[in-house]
Amino acid sequence: MTIINGAHVLLGVTGSIAAYKAADLASKLTQHGAEVDVILTSGAEKFITALTFQSITGRKAYSDADLWGGQAHILHVGLGHSSKLFVIAPCTANTLAKLAHGQADNLLTVTALAMSGSILVAPAMDAGMYEHPATRQNVSVLQERGVLFAGPAEGRMASGMVGKGRMLEPAEIIGHIRLTLGRGGALAGRRLVITAGGTQEPVDPVRYLTNRSSGKQGYALAQAALDAGATVRLVTHPTGLTPPVGAEVVEVRTAQNMLDEVLKSCEEADALVMAAAVADFRVQHVSEHKLKRRDGIPQIQLIAAPDVLSTVAQERGKLKKLKVVVGFAAESRDLIENAAAKLNAKKLNFIAANDISATDAGFAVDTNRLTLLYADGKRESLPLMGKDEAAEAIIARVANLLE
Ligand code: CTP
């Protein structure tokens, strides 16, 4: 998470039972290399202590005592100007109302007024308070003013009631934080289409042909592109992975579905990164009914599935905005020769070649060892790295080509 590493984040915590999750949020941010300064309201201190946060972040956590304590000169201004991002999680209905009205009666709200960077709010409130017209109005006032919202989610609340008002889980809030920190990045204003996962080609109503792609590399690419400020459409085969916050997700099953969605999405896109493992073959006659054992061993005839990248190459003249197309080559032998042939045949800007015979690269593992081959003949070998890092490396090169 390069985007979080080294970021300075202010975390405001208010008086909600969800305050305990703020400790987890502070912990995750700290583990990913952020410097986290926490401000607690007096309500928050009823649920959790400043010591909890200090122990997690290794930095002083502030409360209202510090506002009046006189240790730091104009503390709120210092805090408000020290960070590009103020995350208020959980944010109660009361603090939301104070923010909407510009009230400044505690260290958290006074810092929010002094804040020059972005404010991201993760509301937490029970029993229909979020739907109350007063709260609705406060939310829209804040949104008009540019305050960003993460949630709340629907679900069971502490009261036992079910409704909208649960604070998002820390991992989702981190997704929103990444989205906010990424704004203005190298791909700001760019639209990327990224594909992921392995095709499902039906045999009958219950069976399909698929492959071992986990979708991890494609999802990591989508996250890296979002971190760089891009608008991302993730066209994915079913994976079971949680999509990155902010991606427009379109789920497809067959190679034909993938082709249709990619062609449509590329009309508006600046770049396409095809990380999906698309089927080369599909079943000619898909059985309408379940194939039965009593009918004997079925003879299944395979025919060619559409080649998405080759079709994009043929349609390139019509896809006016599309400037960069990147493919992957999963090979078990003759890596460079095979990848170079695909680079040329599919008219790619570059291809990421992946040796799937290695146990630490390729399908269903968390690492990849990629060689990038470019259309101009240049070659670049990346060391063994996590799929997240590999994604960042590829997205950085896409951004360079789009410049
Ligand atoms: N690809 C595609 N449509 C297909 C098959 C693959 O667009 N029907 C894309 C993949 O997403 C990848 C690139 O083409 O970016 C290379 O995929 P790969 O499976 O390595 O190559 P194939 O062209 O399918 O050739 P082969 O399987 O014979 O090696």
Side-chain angles (χ1 to χ4, degrees):
M1 288 196 196
T2 311
I3 191 150
I4 303 265
N5 194 4
H8 186 195
V9 178
L10 270 185
L11 173 61
V13 183
T14 71
S16 153
I17 179 58
Y20 79 92
K21 291 188 187 172
D24 185 26
L25 176 61
S27 169
K28 286 192 162 74
L29 288 169
T30 305
Q31 282 172 36
H32 288 119
E35 290 183 345
V36 186
D37 280 328
V38 179
I39 304 173
L40 294 100
T41 63
S42 55
E45 286 185 288
K46 302 244 173 14
F47 290 95
I48 196 161
T49 68
L51 183 62
T52 308
F53 288 100
Q54 271 170 213
S55 309
I56 287 169
T57 63
R59 299 168 70 84
K60 178 172 169 54
Y62 299 91
S63 66
D64 284 348
D66 299 297
L67 179 60
W68 308 113
Q71 286 165 350
H73 179 61
I74 325 185
L75 177 63
H76 58 287
V77 178
L79 286 170
H81 287 202
S82 66
S83 171
K84 285 198 294 186
L85 177 61
F86 191 7
V87 184
I88 306 176
C91 184
T92 57
N94 183 38
T95 295
L96 207 62
K98 288 183 186 179
L99 294 172
H101 293 274
Q103 273 191 28
D105 65 344
N106 61 31
L107 181 59
L108 187 152
T109 49
V110 97
T111 303
L113 269 192
M115 186 71 195
S116 48
S118 307
I119 299 182
L120 174 66
V121 166
M125 54 198 77
D126 212 323
M129 290 162 76
Y130 189 73
E131 306 294 359
H132 191 283
T135 307
R136 302 301 321 140
Q137 202 170 1
N138 291 333
V139 169
S140 64
V141 164
L142 289 168
Q143 280 173 331
E144 271 167 39
R145 221 182 272 154
V147 171
L148 302 160
F149 279 76
E154 300 250 358
R156 187 185 178 282
M157 293 177 284
S159 64
M161 292 172 79
V162 175
K164 196 164 184 181
R166 274 178 68 90
M167 188 175 87
L168 291 190
E169 294 303 317
E172 286 172 273
I173 297 175
I174 287 184
H176 286 271
I177 290 173
R178 294 177 81 151
L179 212 52
T180 311
L181 291 174
R183 293 194 312 178
L187 287 175
R190 302 291 193 180
R191 184 170 266 279
L192 266 65
V193 178
I194 295 171
T195 69
T199 340
Q200 293 182 353
E201 295 295 340
V203 174
D204 70 9
V206 294
R207 301 178 179 93
Y208 54 76
L209 301 178
T210 190
N211 58 61
R212 294 179 56 209
S213 169
S214 64
K216 283 181 184 169
Q217 188 62 78
Y219 277 56
L221 282 158
Q223 180 65 73
L226 288 162
D227 285 352
T231 302
V232 174
R233 177 167 294 181
L234 177 61
V235 186
T236 177
H237 298 298
T239 62
L241 300 173
T242 305
V245 170
E248 304 165 15
V249 181
V250 183
E251 201 173 272
V252 295
R253 287 185 184 267
T254 65
Q256 185 63 51
N257 299 156
M258 175 63 85
L259 175 63
D260 295 342
E261 272 309 325
V262 165
L263 285 179
K264 204 164 26 153
S265 303
C266 282
E267 285 170 15
E268 298 298 322
D270 299 283
L272 165 67
V273 184
M274 273 298 293
V278 186
D280 296 322
F281 316 108
R282 65 183 178 86
V283 175
Q284 185 173 26
H285 299 294
V286 178
S287 175
E288 190 187 338
H289 297 289
K290 187 181 172 196
L291 296 171
K292 300 298 277 181
R293 196 199 294 251
R294 63 170 179 253
D295 296 331
I297 307 289
Q299 298 299 311
I300 296 171
Q301 179 64 43
L302 298 179
I303 56 170
D307 185 325
V308 179
L309 279 179
S310 297
T311 315
V312 168
Q314 286 158 19
E315 301 288 310
R316 204 67 189 262
K318 290 189 213 147
L319 303 169
K320 297 281 183 237
K321 269 190 86 186
L322 192 66
K323 293 279 176 308
V324 175
V325 180
V326 180
F328 276 75
E331 305 295 343
S332 57
R333 63 182 171 190
D334 303 328
L335 181 72
I336 301 301
E337 296 74 6
N338 282 328
K342 287 173 192 176
L343 172 75
N344 295 328
K346 303 192 187 211
K347 298 194 171 54
L348 306 173
N349 294 79
F350 69 91
I351 192 160
N354 203 5
D355 180 359
I356 53 165
S357 65
T359 52
D360 53 7
F363 292 136
V365 291
D366 289 327
T367 47
N368 258 343
R369 188 186 282 108
L370 300 175
T371 304
L372 308 183
L373 308 181
Y374 293 83
D376 62 4
K378 207 175 75 182
R379 190 188 299 180
E380 196 181 357
S381 293
L382 304 180
L384 182 73
M385 51 173 77
K387 285 186 174 170
D388 292 347
E389 284 172 278
E392 286 176 8
I394 289 170
I395 290 300
R397 282 147 186 85
V398 170
N400 282 343
L401 290 170
L402 284 174
E403 250 174 28

